[in-house]
Amino acid sequence: MGLDVKAVLFDRDGTLIKDVPYNGDPERVVPVPTAARALEMVRTRGIRTGVVTNQSGVARKLITPAQVSQVNDRVEQLLGSFDTWQVCPHGSDDGCPCRKPAPGMVFAACAALGLTTDEVVLIGDIESDMTAARNAGARSVLVPTEVTRLDEIERATVTASDLQAAVEWALWSGSRHD
């Protein structure tokens, strides 16, 4: 019997907001077109929300942790508050267990929410998001953007045309019982 979805985790850049590489400027935060509606659908059902985001610009000294926090605060101003934020400031060569595609941030988000990984769905725009979810034992939905490679789309278990469609799948998949 499948478990109900109790939380939806979102990648930040390219999924919730338009991707501005290494953005440290809150004024450059622009939600994707269906973000507000998708989040409303989740929150009105009492399902918790979280963000899991790689921010390697910190390790590369292109942005500061304070700038990441300011951008995250702006995301919440525009889209409402999230129940957990998990941010990995490490670079791809740091061997960090939280940096996607590693599952550390998914585990941390679940721990912060008091949930198991099979009670969450992760929505993201690239394969490292899908891999992090799979490595943690969570379900995932890929929402391709212009940066998503064709081979990543072909390997994804579930894809959606936009964030709202991804949330609709997450809500539907959590209500079915196998």
Side-chain angles (χ1 to χ4, degrees):
M1 192 170 217
L3 292 173
D4 287 339
V5 171
K6 295 188 177 159
V8 179
L9 305 178
F10 299 89
D11 170 59
R12 190 188 82 177
D13 303 320
T15 302
L16 283 173
I17 62 174
K18 294 192 182 207
D19 189 12
V20 176
Y22 312 114
N23 183 20
D25 181 359
E27 294 305 312
R28 296 184 71 193
V29 172
V30 178
V32 300
T34 61
R37 176 72 184 120
L39 286 161
E40 178 187 359
M41 291 168 58
V42 172
R43 291 174 177 144
T44 58
R45 287 168 176 78
I47 295 171
R48 301 177 75 194
T49 59
V51 178
V52 291
T53 180
N54 287 346
Q55 294 298 319
S56 66
V58 174
R60 296 173 187 189
K61 307 239 184 280
L62 299 171
I63 54 176
T64 66
Q67 288 174 308
V68 172
S69 292
Q70 291 167 350
V71 168
N72 292 346
D73 290 346
R74 182 66 177 154
V75 171
E76 288 202 333
Q77 287 172 0
L78 295 171
L79 295 173
S81 64
F82 291 84
D83 297 300
T84 185
W85 279 86
Q86 303 298 324
V87 178
C88 176
H90 303 107
S92 56
D93 296 332
D94 292 342
C96 174
C98 65
R99 181 178 168 77
K100 294 178 288 182
M105 284 192 288
V106 177
F107 290 137
C110 289
L113 298 171
L115 300 173
T116 59
T117 58
D118 58 357
E119 295 174 308
V120 304
V121 174
L122 172 63
I123 299 174
D125 66 325
I126 58 175
E127 190 169 42
S128 67
D129 299 317
M130 305 302 98
T131 304
R134 185 179 62 249
N135 289 342
R139 289 168 281 180
S140 62
V141 183
L142 180 71
V143 181
T145 66
E146 61 279 352
V147 302
T148 314
R149 296 188 328 258
L150 182 59
D151 60 311
E152 294 178 317
I153 297 167
E154 291 170 348
R155 283 191 294 270
T157 305
V158 178
T159 61
S161 58
D162 60 27
L163 190 56
Q164 183 175 335
V167 163
E168 288 169 356
W169 180 89
L171 297 175
W172 171 83
S173 75
S175 65
R176 73 167 203 268
H177 297 284
D178 299 325

